Amino acid sequence: MPKKAYKNKIIIPRIRFLPQGEGFDTKLAAFGYESIWQAEGQRLIKAYYNLTNLRFWYKKMTVLVVPSYTSEAGRRYRRMRLSAYKFSQEERLRVLSHELAHRLLLGNGIEAYGKTSRFYDHYYIDLFLFDAWVQLYGAETAKQYVEQEQTGLLDAYGHAWKKSLALSFTERQETLRRIISRVPKQHLA
């Protein structure tokens, strides 16, 4: 169906969480991510839309739950991979919402390339992810999530958060609008 048919509709994708490997950890984690998605998925996608005006174009997704300490959104044609070793539901919610923010931008043709792509990919999502967390879970929880992300393995995460949170809400929204305006229109909702 052409994109025009969905012009005024927010798409909430159906997500299947597929455990990888033989361990009990991946099955338990997949169930945990699934329960989070059922409870929070619609709210997350709507909050992203309200902040970015971008639609989620993936109608169906299969997400791999892997025996790893890292998660990744994948790129356009690779599946998202979520860590089975995020043990609390709170951690899983943070990771899932982070990776879905990447997928939102990827699906709308917004991604960085080159040596600084890891920084810019995170800077782009950080322009709205913090505000989504504040809307959905409150300022204190959002700040805790940012602290957890800044203690990650990659300096790019911390630098991206510092740069985006140095801006006011209005400045983050204006910056995001400028980034979106540079994307060819066929990629946007």
Side-chain angles (χ1 to χ4, degrees), residues 60-71:
K60 294 181 188 176
M61 290 174 59
T62 298
V63 175
L64 305 177
V65 180
V66 296
S68 169
Y69 287 99
T70 59
S71 297

Side-chain angles (χ1 to χ4, degrees), residues 22-62:
E22 298 297 317
F24 176 73
D25 289 346
T26 58
K27 290 178 182 140
L28 184 64
F31 178 77
Y33 285 116
E34 173 69 31
S35 66
I36 290 167
W37 178 248
Q38 292 303 317
E40 298 293 324
Q42 191 167 353
R43 292 178 65 217
L44 274 170
I45 300 302
K46 285 181 179 179
Y48 293 169
Y49 177 77
N50 291 336
L51 289 163
T52 67
N53 226 18
L54 296 174
R55 287 176 181 79
F56 219 95
W57 288 107
Y58 302 95
K59 290 186 245 173
K60 294 181 188 176
M61 290 174 59
T62 298

Side-chain angles (χ1 to χ4, degrees), residues 118-176:
R118 190 174 298 274
F119 168 79
Y120 281 103
D121 279 343
H122 286 92
Y123 176 62
Y124 297 163
I125 70 166
D126 294 350
L127 290 169
F128 67 92
L129 186 57
F130 176 78
D131 299 309
W133 287 339
V134 169
Q135 281 182 15
L136 296 170
Y137 312 115
E140 283 307 308
T141 299
K143 288 175 188 174
Q144 289 172 0
Y145 285 1
V146 170
E147 286 175 23
Q148 291 167 358
E149 294 222 337
Q150 287 179 322
T151 59
L153 301 172
L154 302 171
D155 282 345
Y157 288 14
H159 294 307
W161 275 117
K162 285 178 186 155
K163 184 174 179 176
S164 67
L165 293 180
L167 303 172
S168 69
F169 171 78
T170 303
E171 291 168 327
R172 285 193 297 276
Q173 289 287 291
E174 288 170 0
T175 302
L176 186 60

Side-chain angles (χ1 to χ4, degrees), residues 88-99:
S88 74
Q89 286 295 84
E90 188 87 2
E91 262 186 300
R92 289 179 185 142
L93 174 59
R94 178 183 57 79
V95 168
L96 179 60
S97 58
H98 173 115
E99 301 305 343

